[in-house]
Amino acid sequence: MVRVRKVLTRPLVVAVLVVAVGGVGFGLYWFQPWKLWQDTTVDEALPGVVTSVPPAAAPPEGSPGRPSPAAGPRTLASGELISHEHQTSGTAKLVRLADGSHVLRLENLATTSGPDLRVWLTDAPVKQGLAGWHVFDDGRYVSLGALKGNKGSQNYALPRDVDPAGYSSVSIWCDRFDVSFGAAELARA
């Protein structure tokens, strides 16, 4: 026991132990492996969609209190999410709202949670497999913010100065490791 104590109190051994503990702590902070088992579900309604009103209380068609069908949200482009670094599925839709603003809507999203995940609107082509993991930061992209949840349906507002016609894909992007978790090519409607 005395011999073990002498070995553990040597300056070199103490320094190695401090570096090892610090390295493990930094590794846990940087990779955040516990997020692989955490799910956050977010289910948002599409902005501007009128919830159903009971028929008896609904104003007659064409009256000032009832919005016309053309005044609602309109899907401009959509595509199915494919997997890259992590298993990812769902649908991405670029939607113009009645007020002229745009949102990117992720519907039925299912992906792995991870550190520093972002939703990007990009001009990069979507490629299958390993070839598609790193292409989205090569061209133009707009970060629409942090991923709200790794499951569910959610909306991301486009800044007013962004012309959605200049972007052709969406990526769930891990900013910490510069890799796509999943992406969708946006086909115009």
Side-chain angles (χ1 to χ4, degrees):
M1 186 69 166
V2 173
R3 185 175 173 174
V4 170
R5 184 174 291 161
K6 281 184 179 182
V7 169
L8 289 178
T9 58
R10 289 187 179 165
L12 180 60
V13 173
V14 170
V16 168
L17 287 173
V18 168
V19 168
V21 169
V24 168
F26 178 76
L28 287 172
Y29 165 76
W30 189 253
F31 289 97
Q32 299 177 359
W34 58 87
K35 287 194 172 188
L36 292 173
W37 296 279
Q38 291 179 333
D39 287 331
T40 302
T41 301
V42 174
D43 281 315
E44 297 177 326
L46 182 62
V49 174
V50 179
T51 57
S52 61
V53 179
E61 189 72 38
S63 71
R66 184 176 182 126
S68 66
R74 183 170 159 244
T75 300
L76 303 176
S78 66
E80 295 299 315
L81 289 160
I82 64 167
S83 299
H84 280 150
E85 172 68 21
H86 291 268
Q87 189 69 33
T88 302
S89 63
T91 304
K93 292 183 177 180
L94 188 54
V95 179
R96 183 174 56 225
L97 302 176
D99 66 359
S101 65
H102 295 89
V103 295
L104 176 72
R105 180 161 173 80
L106 300 176
E107 292 183 342
N108 303 313
L109 174 67
T111 191
T112 305
S113 190
D116 208 12
L117 293 181
R118 305 283 173 191
V119 177
W120 281 11
L121 188 60
T122 79
D123 66 350
V126 175
K127 298 177 182 178
Q128 293 280 345
L130 187 59
W133 288 14
H134 302 282
V135 300
F136 297 100
D137 59 350
D138 294 343
R140 286 185 316 142
Y141 63 88
V142 175
S143 178
L144 302 179
L147 185 68
K148 297 174 184 177
N150 64 313
K151 305 248 183 246
S153 297
Q154 45 211 268
N155 306 306
Y156 297 87
L158 272 66
R160 288 270 182 195
D161 62 341
V162 171
D163 179 9
Y167 299 91
S168 59
S169 61
V170 173
S171 175
I172 307 300
W173 185 257
C174 179
D175 233 6
R176 173 133 336 141
F177 295 105
D178 290 331
V179 67
S180 173
F181 272 36
E185 190 81 35
L186 293 174
R188 302 292 168 191

